[in-house]
């Protein structure tokens, strides 16, 4: 069975001297919730953008379901970026129609059910919503897809702790169980209970790729404590 | 996916373009109303001068609006392809060709319709201006009328009118596409700058525009030479010039499309 995601010697440089992702080789399987963890500027977001075809690699290859980033991979990846990427003049129900029109795996019923559970009115324009509610709408749109790979870049940054719990609950209760969730964050303590695996990334290189269970058994520490030890300044 | 992309692109742009076109129609309507009311039909020099100034301002403003349409479409393209919204645009399961083609087609339609409305407004106002002018002014304008040139123009068009009519419409469509694709190529090329990418896009636009102007001159100069020194009739010149201009606009469209497509598909680097 082919890996869901395979990167081989993947490199991304900016200008002549800034290496964001440095000859990164990695393989990610199916049915896992994976934390992509690293300090600020470690290359997490760059790696995610490379997977989504938002950046052009300087060197190396990346394959999703055996294919390079393109139309087919985008049908299978549900991506939540770290910024608001929706047109603010659109209403929430228009956004749902938009996602329904473009993504075959989008489930409108699920989206409306989640909106109702979060008490978000579907006929509201995005620009009138608070930052936290906009992030929830984006998350709903992404998690209403039946994708193979969910890539969530900093999904809990910038929201209050209650909203964080709600977002994490939404993620674990709505993803397709044969799919993989790749979750990038530096708020490790908030997410470590839902993780199966972790990937530590530093200076664009993979420092560790292991299971949460291994960290607890081998080092006798939580992921958060182990992360602090590995990335101690 | 092309039709869906076009549908959403149309929905997100038509309102502002509609407002711009309403401005054209409204100012023309005011002009026609004042002409019909005889406001300018006077021997007062002050009012005539004011009318001339207002007419010049009107022409400048509507030409500005037609350029504003291209600027608006270019800004929309930038937001859609390179700003925060690009994170959605480029993760949709739509090929780069369809993304670019949808924006090109809708942008061209907007630009073409605005040009048609602009020309209709200008000619409509000029027509009313002539019908409402007093006899003295009409006599003055008669002096500039050259019946020989008018006959030549008529002959040039009347011979194969249907084909030439189609060619003119096609030429205007291509000119609209050319304006849009020039702006898209400049925006895409500006993204190659490591910093100040918007300024980079403006510099690229000025550069590309200058190159096109020089190339157009090189195409036009032989025709001017022929008209001055050659034994070529006006009819032949007009027919041949229109065809060459159409082919030149087509070549520019293809080149700008390919540049933009290449940069979108091979050099995309979102911040």
């Amino acid at each position: 069975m082919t890996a869901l995601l395979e990167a081989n010697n993947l490199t991304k440089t900016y200008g002549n001297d800034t290496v964001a992702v440095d000859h990164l080789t990695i393989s990610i399987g199916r049915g896992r919730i994976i934390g992509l963890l690293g300090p600020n500027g470690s290359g997490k977001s760059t790696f995610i953008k490379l997977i989504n075809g938002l950046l052009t690699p300087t060197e190396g290859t990346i394959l999703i379901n055996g294919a390079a980033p393109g139309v087919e991979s985008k049908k299978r990846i549900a991506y939540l970026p770290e910024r608001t990427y929706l047109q603010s003049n659109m209403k929430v129900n228009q956004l749902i129609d938009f996602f329904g029109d473009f993504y075959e795996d989008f489930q409108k019923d699920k989206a409306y059910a989640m909106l109702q559970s979060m008490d978000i009115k579907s006929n509201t324009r995005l620009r009138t919503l608070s930052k936290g509610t906009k992030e929830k709408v984006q998350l709903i749109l992404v998690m209403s897809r039946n994708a193979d790979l969910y890539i969530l870049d900093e999904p809990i940054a910038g929201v209050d702790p209650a909203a964080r719990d709600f977002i994490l609950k939404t993620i674990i209760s709505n993803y397709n169980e044969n799919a993989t969730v790749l979750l990038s964050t530096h708020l490790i303590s908030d997410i470590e209970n839902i993780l199966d695996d972790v990937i530590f990334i530093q200076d664009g290189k993979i420092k560790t790729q292991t299971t949460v269970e291994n960290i607890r058994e081998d080092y006798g520490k939580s992921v958060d404590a182990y992360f602090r030890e590995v990335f101690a300044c | 996916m092309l039709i869906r992309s076009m549908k959403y692109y149309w929905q997100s742009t038509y309102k502002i373009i509609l407002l711009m076109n309403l401005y054209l129609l409204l100012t023309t309507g005011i002009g026609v109303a004042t002409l019909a009311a005889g406001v300018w039909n006077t021997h007062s020099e002050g009012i005539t001068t004011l009318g001339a100034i207002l007419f010049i301002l009107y022409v400048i403003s509507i030409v500005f609006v037609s350029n504003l349409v291209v600027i608006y479409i270019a800004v929309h393209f930038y937001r859609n392809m390179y700003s925060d919204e690009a994170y959605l645009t480029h993760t949709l399961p739509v090929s780069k060709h369809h993304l670019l083609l949808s924006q090109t087609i809708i942008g061209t339609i907007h630009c073409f319709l605005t040009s048609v409305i602009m020309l209709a407004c200008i000619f409509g106002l000029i027509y009313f201006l002539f019908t409402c002018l007093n006899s003295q002014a009409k006599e003055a304008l008669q002096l500039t009328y050259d019946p020989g040139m008018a006959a030549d123009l008529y002959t040039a068009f009347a011979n194969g009118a249907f084909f030439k009519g189609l060619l003119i419409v096609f030429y205007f469509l291509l000119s609209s596409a050319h304006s849009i694709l020039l702006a898209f190529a400049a925006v895409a090329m500006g993204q190659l700058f490591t910093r100040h990418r918007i300024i980079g896009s403006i510099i690229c636009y000025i550069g590309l525009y200058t190159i096109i102007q020089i190339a157009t001159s090189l195409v036009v100069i032989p025709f001017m030479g022929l008209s001055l020194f050659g034994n070529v009739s006006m009819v032949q010149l007009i027919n041949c010039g229109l065809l060459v201009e159409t082919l030149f606009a087509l070549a520019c469209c293809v080149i700008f499309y390919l540049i933009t497509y290449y940069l979108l598909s091979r050099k995309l680097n979102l911040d």
Side-chain angles (χ1 to χ4, degrees), chain A residues 12 49 52-56 71 74-75 79 81 83-87 90 97-99 101-103, chain B residues 1 4-5 7-8 12 80 84-85 87-88 90-96 266-271:
Chain A
K12 179 66 191 174
K49 286 185 199 173
N52 283 290
L54 301 175
L55 289 175
T56 309
V71 174
K74 287 164 191 175
K75 284 180 183 171
Y79 169 53
R83 56 186 80 200
T84 306
Y85 67 162
L86 304 170
Q87 283 188 26
M90 287 177 88
D97 288 341
F98 180 89
F99 270 65
D101 271 354
F102 282 100
Y103 296 109
Chain B
M1 284 297 177
R4 282 177 209 174
S5 300
K7 181 183 108 179
Y8 281 100
S12 64
N80 230 236
D84 288 353
E85 285 174 22
Y87 282 76
L88 179 59
H90 293 294
T91 49
L92 293 172
V94 181
S95 69
K96 302 287 185 207
R266 301 287 172 89
K267 300 283 176 189
L268 183 70
N269 284 302
L270 297 185
D271 282 333

Side-chain angles (χ1 to χ4, degrees), chain B residues 20 23-24 58-71 118:
Chain B
M20 291 181 194
Y23 168 81
L24 296 180
Y58 162 79
V59 172
I60 290 171
S61 80
I62 63 171
V63 171
F64 175 73
V65 167
S66 78
N67 286 320
L68 205 59
V69 169
V70 178
I71 293 169
M118 183 187 77

Side-chain angles (χ1 to χ4, degrees), chain B residues 1-19:
Chain B
M1 284 297 177
L2 177 65
I3 302 295
R4 282 177 209 174
S5 300
M6 284 170 62
K7 181 183 108 179
Y8 281 100
Y9 185 57
W10 175 267
Q11 281 176 356
S12 64
T13 51
Y14 83 94
K15 285 177 189 164
I16 300 288
I17 307 273
L18 186 68
L19 278 177

Side-chain angles (χ1 to χ4, degrees), chain A residues 93-112:
Chain A
N93 52 12
Q94 289 174 325
L95 288 165
I96 288 174
D97 288 341
F98 180 89
F99 270 65
D101 271 354
F102 282 100
Y103 296 109
E104 289 168 13
D105 59 6
F106 188 78
Q107 299 152 293
K108 283 189 181 181
D109 295 348
K110 197 170 172 181
Y112 279 112

Side-chain angles (χ1 to χ4, degrees), chain B residues 77-168:
Chain B
F77 176 79
Y78 168 77
R79 281 174 46 196
N80 230 236
M81 296 293 190
Y82 294 106
S83 71
D84 288 353
E85 285 174 22
Y87 282 76
L88 179 59
T89 307
H90 293 294
T91 49
L92 293 172
V94 181
S95 69
K96 302 287 185 207
H97 265 309
H98 283 180
L99 284 177
L100 181 56
L101 203 56
S102 61
Q103 301 227 0
T104 305
I105 292 170
I106 299 299
T108 301
I109 291 171
H110 282 315
C111 197
F112 177 73
L113 290 178
T114 306
S115 301
V116 169
I117 290 170
M118 183 187 77
L119 288 174
C121 286
I122 291 178
F123 285 115
L125 195 67
I126 288 172
Y127 174 77
F128 269 92
L129 191 64
F130 272 88
T131 55
C132 298
L133 278 176
N134 58 35
S135 54
Q136 202 180 351
K138 274 182 183 166
E139 275 171 25
L141 283 166
Q142 283 288 330
L143 294 175
T144 62
Y145 178 67
D146 178 356
M149 185 180 275
D152 279 348
L153 283 171
Y154 178 78
T155 313
F157 192 76
N159 191 9
F162 180 73
F163 171 72
K164 279 171 199 158
L166 278 181
L167 192 63
I168 288 169

